[in-house]
Amino acid sequence: MGRRNSCTIYVGNLPGDIREREVEDLFYKYGRIVDIDLKIPPRPPGYAFVEFEDPRDADDAIYGRDGYDFDGYRLRVELAHGGRAQSYSYDRPSSFSNGRRGGVSRRSEFRVMVDGLPSSASWQDLKDHMRRAGDVCFSDVYREGGATVGVVDYTNYDDMKYAIRKLDDTEFRNAFSRAYIRVRQYDARSRSRSRSLSYSRSRSYSRSGHAAIWGLLP
């Protein structure tokens, strides 16, 4: 029990609309996470217990995230132990009551689109693949027009541009399948205009990875 306690951290002052995947995004870089227990009370803030495999990773997470500003909430991160969970204070942002999920620190403008994903791809699979290029703060996978599409946000411009260079035309793998993917910078203005064309062309993309799909075909 003592070792388990030393591997588990308490994360206080979380936004009331946070999701478990966002908690994972906050802490994955510090080490292998065994379990996340997210608690959202009727009134914010929320809190979570995050268990790492190695107590040293828990220490690193505390050092790196205690006092971190997450969407206007200053996080309190410490080793989980009795009597502390209700003692935290918090700064509630004035914009919380607007009901939007748009949290600035959870999404960013440094966004890429990922095409050619297998239907079995999950957001976790996509995030793991795209982490090879930099610090991912958000990922999602959805079906549209018969294709599986990914959206990935990076925390900074350099990582986004590096992802396009490094991960475009690379092999994506998960436990069930593999496929070559295309990665490009997200363009909200042209996406709706080219959506049907892009997705119809993506189905013709071969594993060799040399077919052009993002508006390059005649």
Side-chain angles (χ1 to χ4, degrees):
M1 181 63 70
R3 174 177 170 79
R4 187 177 189 278
N5 285 345
S6 67
C7 293
T8 303
I9 61 173
Y10 165 79
V11 186
N13 199 32
L14 292 169
D17 61 348
I18 195 170
R19 295 175 293 178
E20 184 176 308
R21 61 188 287 183
E22 294 169 317
V23 177
E24 181 187 1
D25 285 340
L26 278 169
F27 293 101
Y28 77 86
K29 70 179 182 180
Y30 296 104
R32 178 176 171 79
I33 295 174
V34 176
D35 183 60
I36 297 174
D37 184 12
L38 177 61
K39 307 290 188 182
I40 303 296
R43 297 180 61 185
Y47 62 96
F49 296 96
V50 180
E51 181 182 354
F52 289 91
E53 192 172 75
D54 191 315
R56 293 170 297 184
D57 295 336
D59 289 339
D60 290 342
I62 293 169
Y63 179 80
R65 290 304 191 202
D66 186 37
Y68 179 76
D69 187 341
F70 180 77
D71 197 20
Y73 288 74
R74 181 164 295 179
L75 301 185
R76 176 174 178 177
V77 183
E78 60 188 34
L79 278 178
H81 51 83
R84 295 294 298 277
Q86 299 301 321
S87 65
Y88 55 81
S89 59
Y90 65 92
D91 301 315
R92 181 174 177 174
S94 59
S95 62
F96 180 82
S97 60
N98 64 13
R100 294 187 303 113
R101 281 213 53 83
V104 173
S105 63
R106 284 172 274 168
R107 300 298 304 267
S108 81
E109 61 184 303
F110 310 116
R111 183 171 305 160
V112 298
M113 295 290 297
V114 182
D115 183 76
L117 290 165
S119 59
S120 62
S122 68
W123 66 266
Q124 296 100 324
D125 297 329
L126 179 62
K127 181 174 67 175
D128 288 342
H129 186 83
M130 303 303 287
R131 281 174 182 168
R132 294 157 54 186
D135 192 6
V136 173
C137 61
F138 177 86
S139 67
D140 200 9
V141 171
Y142 57 94
R143 300 278 299 176
E144 187 172 281
T148 302
V149 182
V151 178
V152 178
D153 290 7
Y154 287 91
T155 59
N156 61 82
Y157 176 83
D158 289 340
D159 285 355
M160 179 194 71
K161 298 301 288 186
Y162 184 59
I164 295 170
R165 294 196 308 270
K166 178 180 174 66
L167 299 179
D168 183 38
D169 200 10
T170 58
E171 187 179 49
F172 171 94
R173 301 182 182 184
N174 62 14
F176 307 102
S177 54
R178 62 180 64 183
Y180 281 87
I181 60 172
R182 300 307 304 261
V183 180
R184 68 163 179 168
Q185 186 169 350
Y186 180 87
D187 186 349
R189 293 170 299 176
S190 64
R191 183 169 178 262
S192 60
R193 183 179 67 249
S194 61
R195 181 181 299 163
S196 60
L197 180 61
S198 297
Y199 288 136
S200 63
R201 286 174 175 171
S202 71
R203 288 195 292 272
S204 68
Y205 180 71
S206 67
R207 176 169 289 188
S208 64
H210 297 297
I213 60 173
W214 292 110
L216 300 180
L217 292 176

PDB file of all heavy atoms in Angstrom, residues 7 10 22 37 53 59 62 65 75 99 116-117 125 142 168 171 174 185 200 209:
ATOM      1  N   CYS A   7       3.160   6.231  -5.629  1.00  0.00           N
ATOM      2  CA  CYS A   7       3.027   6.319  -7.081  1.00  0.00           C
ATOM      3  C   CYS A   7       1.800   7.109  -7.508  1.00  0.00           C
ATOM      4  O   CYS A   7       1.600   7.354  -8.700  1.00  0.00           O
ATOM      5  CB  CYS A   7       2.938   4.921  -7.700  1.00  0.00           C
ATOM      6  SG  CYS A   7       4.444   3.936  -7.570  1.00  0.00           S
ATOM      7  N   TYR A  10      -2.344  13.417  -6.297  1.00  0.00           N
ATOM      8  CA  TYR A  10      -3.629  14.113  -6.241  1.00  0.00           C
ATOM      9  C   TYR A  10      -3.532  15.360  -7.110  1.00  0.00           C
ATOM     10  O   TYR A  10      -2.567  16.123  -7.011  1.00  0.00           O
ATOM     11  CB  TYR A  10      -3.951  14.492  -4.794  1.00  0.00           C
ATOM     12  CG  TYR A  10      -5.047  15.516  -4.663  1.00  0.00           C
ATOM     13  CD1 TYR A  10      -6.382  15.146  -4.779  1.00  0.00           C
ATOM     14  CD2 TYR A  10      -4.742  16.862  -4.451  1.00  0.00           C
ATOM     15  CE1 TYR A  10      -7.385  16.099  -4.674  1.00  0.00           C
ATOM     16  CE2 TYR A  10      -5.744  17.806  -4.337  1.00  0.00           C
ATOM     17  CZ  TYR A  10      -7.075  17.428  -4.453  1.00  0.00           C
ATOM     18  OH  TYR A  10      -8.058  18.360  -4.343  1.00  0.00           O
ATOM     19  N   GLU A  22      -8.016  14.460 -21.124  1.00  0.00           N
ATOM     20  CA  GLU A  22      -7.285  15.706 -20.944  1.00  0.00           C
ATOM     21  C   GLU A  22      -6.374  15.634 -19.721  1.00  0.00           C
ATOM     22  O   GLU A  22      -5.293  16.236 -19.707  1.00  0.00           O
ATOM     23  CB  GLU A  22      -8.275  16.858 -20.828  1.00  0.00           C
ATOM     24  CG  GLU A  22      -9.048  17.098 -22.119  1.00  0.00           C
ATOM     25  CD  GLU A  22     -10.211  18.059 -21.962  1.00  0.00           C
ATOM     26  OE1 GLU A  22     -10.947  17.946 -20.958  1.00  0.00           O
ATOM     27  OE2 GLU A  22     -10.390  18.910 -22.840  1.00  0.00           O
ATOM     28  N   ASP A  37      -8.315   8.342 -11.902  1.00  0.00           N
ATOM     29  CA  ASP A  37      -9.626   8.350 -11.248  1.00  0.00           C
ATOM     30  C   ASP A  37     -10.079   9.808 -11.161  1.00  0.00           C
ATOM     31  O   ASP A  37      -9.640  10.557 -10.290  1.00  0.00           O
ATOM     32  CB  ASP A  37      -9.517   7.723  -9.853  1.00  0.00           C
ATOM     33  CG  ASP A  37     -10.866   7.613  -9.156  1.00  0.00           C
ATOM     34  OD1 ASP A  37     -11.903   7.804  -9.830  1.00  0.00           O
ATOM     35  OD2 ASP A  37     -10.888   7.333  -7.940  1.00  0.00           O
ATOM     36  N   GLU A  53       3.363   4.150 -12.722  1.00  0.00           N
ATOM     37  CA  GLU A  53       4.010   2.864 -12.478  1.00  0.00           C
ATOM     38  C   GLU A  53       5.242   3.021 -11.589  1.00  0.00           C
ATOM     39  O   GLU A  53       5.573   2.145 -10.799  1.00  0.00           O
ATOM     40  CB  GLU A  53       4.407   2.232 -13.816  1.00  0.00           C
ATOM     41  CG  GLU A  53       4.820   0.787 -13.745  1.00  0.00           C
ATOM     42  CD  GLU A  53       5.017   0.198 -15.119  1.00  0.00           C
ATOM     43  OE1 GLU A  53       6.050   0.522 -15.755  1.00  0.00           O
ATOM     44  OE2 GLU A  53       4.154  -0.578 -15.575  1.00  0.00           O
ATOM     45  N   ASP A  59       6.909  11.875  -8.713  1.00  0.00           N
ATOM     46  CA  ASP A  59       7.644  13.041  -8.221  1.00  0.00           C
ATOM     47  C   ASP A  59       7.875  14.067  -9.331  1.00  0.00           C
ATOM     48  O   ASP A  59       7.739  15.273  -9.125  1.00  0.00           O
ATOM     49  CB  ASP A  59       8.999  12.595  -7.650  1.00  0.00           C
ATOM     50  CG  ASP A  59       8.857  11.835  -6.341  1.00  0.00           C
ATOM     51  OD1 ASP A  59       7.815  11.975  -5.680  1.00  0.00           O
ATOM     52  OD2 ASP A  59       9.788  11.085  -5.987  1.00  0.00           O
ATOM     53  N   ILE A  62       4.667  15.982 -10.085  1.00  0.00           N
ATOM     54  CA  ILE A  62       4.406  16.997  -9.066  1.00  0.00           C
ATOM     55  C   ILE A  62       5.263  18.230  -9.322  1.00  0.00           C
ATOM     56  O   ILE A  62       4.777  19.374  -9.308  1.00  0.00           O
ATOM     57  CB  ILE A  62       4.670  16.438  -7.657  1.00  0.00           C
ATOM     58  CG1 ILE A  62       3.643  15.349  -7.335  1.00  0.00           C
ATOM     59  CG2 ILE A  62       4.609  17.545  -6.608  1.00  0.00           C
ATOM     60  CD1 ILE A  62       3.973  14.559  -6.077  1.00  0.00           C
ATOM     61  N   ARG A  65       3.941  19.981 -12.675  1.00  0.00           N
ATOM     62  CA  ARG A  65       2.572  20.458 -12.856  1.00  0.00           C
ATOM     63  C   ARG A  65       1.971  21.173 -11.647  1.00  0.00           C
ATOM     64  O   ARG A  65       0.921  21.805 -11.788  1.00  0.00           O
ATOM     65  CB  ARG A  65       1.665  19.278 -13.232  1.00  0.00           C
ATOM     66  CG  ARG A  65       1.902  18.704 -14.625  1.00  0.00           C
ATOM     67  CD  ARG A  65       1.782  19.747 -15.683  1.00  0.00           C
ATOM     68  NE  ARG A  65       1.742  19.187 -17.037  1.00  0.00           N
ATOM     69  CZ  ARG A  65       2.054  19.843 -18.131  1.00  0.00           C
ATOM     70  NH1 ARG A  65       2.442  21.123 -18.031  1.00  0.00           N
ATOM     71  NH2 ARG A  65       1.985  19.288 -19.323  1.00  0.00           N
ATOM     72  N   LEU A  75      -3.426  24.521 -11.037  1.00  0.00           N
ATOM     73  CA  LEU A  75      -3.506  23.162 -10.512  1.00  0.00           C
ATOM     74  C   LEU A  75      -2.730  23.010  -9.211  1.00  0.00           C
ATOM     75  O   LEU A  75      -1.682  23.618  -9.014  1.00  0.00           O
ATOM     76  CB  LEU A  75      -2.954  22.164 -11.532  1.00  0.00           C
ATOM     77  CG  LEU A  75      -3.640  22.120 -12.902  1.00  0.00           C
ATOM     78  CD1 LEU A  75      -3.047  20.994 -13.726  1.00  0.00           C
ATOM     79  CD2 LEU A  75      -5.143  21.954 -12.754  1.00  0.00           C
ATOM     80  N   GLY A  99     -20.181  28.099 -20.332  1.00  0.00           N
ATOM     81  CA  GLY A  99     -20.612  26.771 -20.739  1.00  0.00           C
ATOM     82  C   GLY A  99     -19.887  26.215 -21.947  1.00  0.00           C
ATOM     83  O   GLY A  99     -20.207  25.132 -22.409  1.00  0.00           O
ATOM     84  N   GLY A 116      -6.271   9.081 -43.991  1.00  0.00           N
ATOM     85  CA  GLY A 116      -5.801   7.743 -44.320  1.00  0.00           C
ATOM     86  C   GLY A 116      -5.731   6.803 -43.142  1.00  0.00           C
ATOM     87  O   GLY A 116      -5.170   5.707 -43.257  1.00  0.00           O
ATOM     88  N   LEU A 117      -6.283   7.185 -41.998  1.00  0.00           N
ATOM     89  CA  LEU A 117      -6.249   6.329 -40.814  1.00  0.00           C
ATOM     90  C   LEU A 117      -7.127   5.097 -41.012  1.00  0.00           C
ATOM     91  O   LEU A 117      -8.188   5.175 -41.647  1.00  0.00           O
ATOM     92  CB  LEU A 117      -6.743   7.097 -39.588  1.00  0.00           C
ATOM     93  CG  LEU A 117      -5.837   8.208 -39.065  1.00  0.00           C
ATOM     94  CD1 LEU A 117      -6.613   9.094 -38.095  1.00  0.00           C
ATOM     95  CD2 LEU A 117      -4.604   7.623 -38.380  1.00  0.00           C
ATOM     96  N   ASP A 125      -4.387   6.002 -30.054  1.00  0.00           N
ATOM     97  CA  ASP A 125      -3.432   5.531 -31.060  1.00  0.00           C
ATOM     98  C   ASP A 125      -2.842   6.700 -31.837  1.00  0.00           C
ATOM     99  O   ASP A 125      -1.632   6.756 -32.086  1.00  0.00           O
ATOM    100  CB  ASP A 125      -4.119   4.585 -32.051  1.00  0.00           C
ATOM    101  CG  ASP A 125      -4.663   3.321 -31.418  1.00  0.00           C
ATOM    102  OD1 ASP A 125      -4.077   2.854 -30.426  1.00  0.00           O
ATOM    103  OD2 ASP A 125      -5.670   2.797 -31.931  1.00  0.00           O
ATOM    104  N   TYR A 142     -12.481  10.760 -35.939  1.00  0.00           N
ATOM    105  CA  TYR A 142     -13.904  10.673 -36.243  1.00  0.00           C
ATOM    106  C   TYR A 142     -14.094  10.169 -37.665  1.00  0.00           C
ATOM    107  O   TYR A 142     -13.154  10.143 -38.473  1.00  0.00           O
ATOM    108  CB  TYR A 142     -14.593  12.022 -36.058  1.00  0.00           C
ATOM    109  CG  TYR A 142     -14.019  13.147 -36.883  1.00  0.00           C
ATOM    110  CD1 TYR A 142     -14.560  13.467 -38.126  1.00  0.00           C
ATOM    111  CD2 TYR A 142     -12.927  13.882 -36.428  1.00  0.00           C
ATOM    112  CE1 TYR A 142     -14.033  14.496 -38.880  1.00  0.00           C
ATOM    113  CE2 TYR A 142     -12.404  14.914 -37.180  1.00  0.00           C
ATOM    114  CZ  TYR A 142     -12.956  15.219 -38.410  1.00  0.00           C
ATOM    115  OH  TYR A 142     -12.429  16.234 -39.159  1.00  0.00           O
ATOM    116  N   ASP A 168       4.235  12.998 -42.204  1.00  0.00           N
ATOM    117  CA  ASP A 168       3.482  12.843 -43.444  1.00  0.00           C
ATOM    118  C   ASP A 168       4.031  11.658 -44.231  1.00  0.00           C
ATOM    119  O   ASP A 168       5.244  11.491 -44.362  1.00  0.00           O
ATOM    120  CB  ASP A 168       3.585  14.123 -44.280  1.00  0.00           C
ATOM    121  CG  ASP A 168       2.761  14.036 -45.561  1.00  0.00           C
ATOM    122  OD1 ASP A 168       1.650  13.453 -45.517  1.00  0.00           O
ATOM    123  OD2 ASP A 168       3.228  14.547 -46.594  1.00  0.00           O
ATOM    124  N   GLU A 171       3.989   5.240 -41.801  1.00  0.00           N
ATOM    125  CA  GLU A 171       3.111   4.116 -41.495  1.00  0.00           C
ATOM    126  C   GLU A 171       2.554   4.236 -40.084  1.00  0.00           C
ATOM    127  O   GLU A 171       3.305   4.314 -39.113  1.00  0.00           O
ATOM    128  CB  GLU A 171       3.849   2.790 -41.637  1.00  0.00           C
ATOM    129  CG  GLU A 171       2.931   1.584 -41.502  1.00  0.00           C
ATOM    130  CD  GLU A 171       3.655   0.263 -41.676  1.00  0.00           C
ATOM    131  OE1 GLU A 171       4.714   0.076 -41.022  1.00  0.00           O
ATOM    132  OE2 GLU A 171       3.179  -0.574 -42.451  1.00  0.00           O
ATOM    133  N   ASN A 174      -1.570   0.246 -35.183  1.00  0.00           N
ATOM    134  CA  ASN A 174      -2.126  -0.048 -33.868  1.00  0.00           C
ATOM    135  C   ASN A 174      -2.234  -1.555 -33.733  1.00  0.00           C
ATOM    136  O   ASN A 174      -1.678  -2.304 -34.555  1.00  0.00           O
ATOM    137  CB  ASN A 174      -3.475   0.665 -33.635  1.00  0.00           C
ATOM    138  CG  ASN A 174      -4.553   0.229 -34.604  1.00  0.00           C
ATOM    139  OD1 ASN A 174      -4.432  -0.784 -35.302  1.00  0.00           O
ATOM    140  ND2 ASN A 174      -5.631   0.985 -34.664  1.00  0.00           N
ATOM    141  N   GLN A 185      -1.289  20.799 -42.500  1.00  0.00           N
ATOM    142  CA  GLN A 185      -1.769  21.832 -41.597  1.00  0.00           C
ATOM    143  C   GLN A 185      -3.256  22.044 -41.801  1.00  0.00           C
ATOM    144  O   GLN A 185      -3.758  22.062 -42.924  1.00  0.00           O
ATOM    145  CB  GLN A 185      -1.019  23.145 -41.828  1.00  0.00           C
ATOM    146  CG  GLN A 185      -1.364  24.233 -40.815  1.00  0.00           C
ATOM    147  CD  GLN A 185      -0.424  25.424 -40.905  1.00  0.00           C
ATOM    148  OE1 GLN A 185       0.605  25.376 -41.586  1.00  0.00           O
ATOM    149  NE2 GLN A 185      -0.763  26.493 -40.217  1.00  0.00           N
ATOM    150  N   SER A 200     -12.720  11.501 -51.083  1.00  0.00           N
ATOM    151  CA  SER A 200     -12.884  10.537 -52.157  1.00  0.00           C
ATOM    152  C   SER A 200     -11.525  10.133 -52.719  1.00  0.00           C
ATOM    153  O   SER A 200     -11.302   8.984 -53.066  1.00  0.00           O
ATOM    154  CB  SER A 200     -13.762  11.110 -53.275  1.00  0.00           C
ATOM    155  OG  SER A 200     -13.148  12.230 -53.873  1.00  0.00           O
ATOM    156  N   GLY A 209       2.354   4.902 -50.488  1.00  0.00           N
ATOM    157  CA  GLY A 209       2.507   6.247 -49.944  1.00  0.00           C
ATOM    158  C   GLY A 209       2.930   7.291 -50.948  1.00  0.00           C
ATOM    159  O   GLY A 209       3.274   8.389 -50.565  1.00  0.00           O
TER     160      GLY A 209
END
